[in-house]
Amino acid sequence: MDFSLSDEERAVRDTVRAFVTREVVPLEDEVLRNERAGRPPLPDGVLTALQEKARAAGYWGVTTPPEYGGMGLAPVMHAVLEMELARTFVPFRFGGSADNILFAASAAQREAYLLPTIAGERRSCFALTEPGAGSDARNIRTRARRDGADWLLDGEKTFITGGDAADFAILFARADEGVTAFLVDRDRGWTSTPIPTMGEWSCASVVFDGVRVPADAVLGEVGGGLELALSWIGQGRYVIPARAVGAGERLLGMACAHASTRESMGHPIAEYQAIQWQIADSQVELEATKWLTLHAAWQAQTGRDARHATAIAKLHGAETANRVVDRVLQIHGGMGYTRELPIERWYRELRVLRIYEGTDEIQRRTIARNLLRGHVALGVIGD
Ligand SMILES: Cc1cc2nc3c(=O)[nH]c(=O)nc-3n(C[C@H](O)[C@H](O)[C@H](O)COP(=O)(O)OP(=O)(O)OC[C@H]3O[C@@H](n4cnc5c(N)ncnc54)[C@H](O)[C@@H]3O)c2cc1C
């Protein structure tokens, strides 16, 4: 069993860490100021300029296959890279990526959707959840009815990340043959309304009212939409806990620094066991999340069925991030609760990890059912 990274992988990790530290972290104060004044986190063009800078250093399309100009990183290194990016709350992502399921597009769809999305010229949103069906995604009601050679789409989607900025939707709707994915341009007539949230994450309600699309708007097979949706969500289940690790380690570092300098009753608070235990428990839980995540990503990378491992990693990561940020806020005392520091921002942002792409309860349900039905066995090592 070898837990080390190759020299090349270590170089990727170190370069990304250095880039985040040098180029992205210094933007944090500006992001906080803008968000607190109700403005977008950064002026137009700042993130794009950063993406171009990263591109010049070879960081473009981190998971995009080389034939599309990307780095084609496999899941383990993708997870490592997400850990590095999550050390800051600045909403920076490398350019050159597209939703993993867009690679299932037909030749014409590749030209119209995949390539422009990779180039950053088009923006997608993933529209599955509905007001009446979130965890119960198999029960979506948005309808796709054939009308001659076309399809008519009717229904409402909710909590759609980037739904207000997207110029096309990957829409999941129920056809007679089963749930089907459609690529639907905004100018076909769908509308969106932003939904304010407790965090800075922007999501929207998206309405399709008799939206007409041609037969070639279907992504993949008619009736094959649920499989595509699950494969999109499956990737998130190791990306999300990876982000929990990056954010949690950054926060824990802040707590250690504060505890070492803040004095109470004649001593730095770091000398008190009550504080030490919070620090120790946080690191233990973050280490557990780190290795659960990398193991889940390794399963995906090696063609194993990663669903059980990703459910465990996603559950553990989401809960750990929330426990850690709560302890870090506590260690900072009253200052932790103010807007002088970014902790309250992380606190609000990390809360959603326990909800989207499968709630804690749904991950527990998956884990328990897999065990109770004998889909997985206890005591397995190395398979
Ligand atoms: C900020 C944000 C961004 C999002 N982005 C997207 C997006 O881009 N695209 C998209 O399609 N969706 C998106 N979602 C939706 C998200 O995936 C759903 O909110 C999530 O799956 C939960 O569904 P729900 O909100 O309908 O809650 P419900 O399913 O109504 O659940 C309510 C409660 O009941 C529990 N529960 C439900 N069923 C069971 C069960 N069988 N056993 C035990 N407990 C159960 C849940 O765990 C939860 O605690 C986003 C959500 C948020 C908040």
Side-chain angles (χ1 to χ4, degrees):
M1 202 171 288
D2 183 355
F3 293 96
S4 59
L5 297 178
S6 68
D7 288 346
E8 197 183 329
E9 289 168 338
R10 244 196 306 270
V12 169
R13 180 202 61 192
D14 293 345
T15 312
V16 173
R17 185 172 296 186
F19 183 83
V20 169
T21 309
R22 199 179 55 240
E23 305 285 349
V24 190
V25 169
L27 299 171
E28 288 183 347
D29 285 347
E30 188 180 351
V31 167
L32 280 183
R33 265 198 315 278
N34 285 334
E35 286 175 350
R36 283 167 185 174
R39 294 189 292 264
L42 289 167
D44 273 355
V46 172
L47 292 175
T48 320
L50 263 187
Q51 286 181 340
E52 288 304 325
K53 204 165 192 175
R55 184 178 196 171
Y59 288 80
W60 179 259
V62 289
T63 56
T64 302
E67 61 265 35
Y68 293 96
M71 297 169 75
L73 292 184
V76 169
M77 279 311 292
H78 182 202
V80 169
L81 194 138
E82 291 289 344
M83 289 178 195
E84 296 305 325
L85 290 178
R87 293 183 199 282
T88 174
F89 54 81
V90 174
F92 171 78
R93 316 234 53 85
F94 291 116
S97 291
D99 306 76
N100 59 352
I101 56 176
L102 278 184
F103 291 90
S106 66
Q109 290 169 340
R110 278 173 202 215
E111 293 298 323
Y113 298 97
L114 175 65
L115 298 181
T117 303
I118 290 173
E121 294 154 9
R122 300 204 69 181
R123 277 196 257 185
S124 65
C125 65
F126 173 87
L128 176 65
T129 304
E130 300 180 355
S135 304
D136 193 9
R138 286 172 200 277
N139 206 19
I140 59 169
R141 295 270 182 253
T142 295
R143 279 293 289 161
R145 283 177 292 112
R146 290 183 195 271
D147 186 42
D150 296 340
W151 293 88
L152 285 177
L153 306 170
D154 284 283
E156 181 181 349
K157 298 290 178 177
T158 192
F159 305 137
I160 305 308
T161 297
D164 208 40
D167 68 295
F168 75 97
I170 307 174
L171 173 75
F172 296 86
R174 183 168 299 285
D176 288 342
E177 297 88 339
V179 173
T180 302
F182 294 87
L183 298 176
V184 193
D185 293 334
R186 185 183 286 269
D187 59 18
R188 294 253 167 214
W190 56 267
T191 55
S192 61
T193 313
I195 302 174
T197 65
M198 73 182 266
E200 308 302 336
W201 198 277
S202 61
C203 60
S205 149
V206 178
V207 173
F208 294 78
D209 186 5
V211 171
R212 180 178 292 276
V213 291
D216 62 10
V218 172
L219 175 66
E221 302 295 322
V222 174
L226 214 47
E227 211 177 307
L228 287 174
L230 294 177
S231 112
W232 190 95
I233 291 167
Q235 188 178 58
R237 291 199 178 154
Y238 66 78
V239 167
I240 289 171
R243 291 182 186 154
V245 170
E249 288 186 345
R250 171 83 188 280
L251 284 158
L252 186 54
M254 290 168 64
C256 290
H258 181 72
S260 302
T261 52
R262 174 71 179 171
E263 291 201 0
S264 171
M265 300 176 198
H267 298 273
I269 59 172
E271 289 181 16
Y272 299 119
Q273 192 181 51
I275 301 295
Q276 290 174 358
W277 283 26
Q278 294 187 64
I279 289 172
D281 288 349
S282 296
Q283 172 154 43
V284 169
E285 290 165 29
L286 286 168
E287 281 297 298
T289 298
K290 183 184 292 174
W291 295 106
L292 287 170
T293 302
L294 293 174
H295 177 247
W298 170 81
Q299 288 205 335
Q301 181 164 314
T302 51
R304 291 168 167 82
D305 183 347
R307 286 174 296 181
H308 193 67
T310 51
I312 293 175
K314 203 275 181 180
L315 171 65
H316 199 272
E319 292 194 336
T320 294
N322 278 272
R323 274 194 301 270
V324 169
V325 72
D326 188 61
R327 291 186 191 119
V328 170
L329 194 153
Q330 191 71 15
I331 289 170
H332 281 78
M335 279 304 291
Y337 191 67
T338 69
R339 293 192 164 199
E340 296 281 305
L341 295 177
I343 301 169
E344 63 82 30
R345 186 199 186 281
W346 290 100
Y347 189 95
R348 289 182 288 110
E349 180 168 302
L350 292 171
R351 186 61 182 83
V352 77
L353 268 53
R354 296 184 53 205
I355 296 172
Y356 64 10
E357 298 189 32
T359 62
D360 291 358
E361 292 75 21
I362 294 306
Q363 308 306 335
R364 283 197 166 82
R365 176 178 182 268
T366 302
I367 295 161
R369 280 158 57 118
N370 285 344
L371 272 172
L372 294 167
R373 292 177 177 180
H375 299 320
V376 295
L378 292 169
V380 174
I381 297 175
D383 289 337

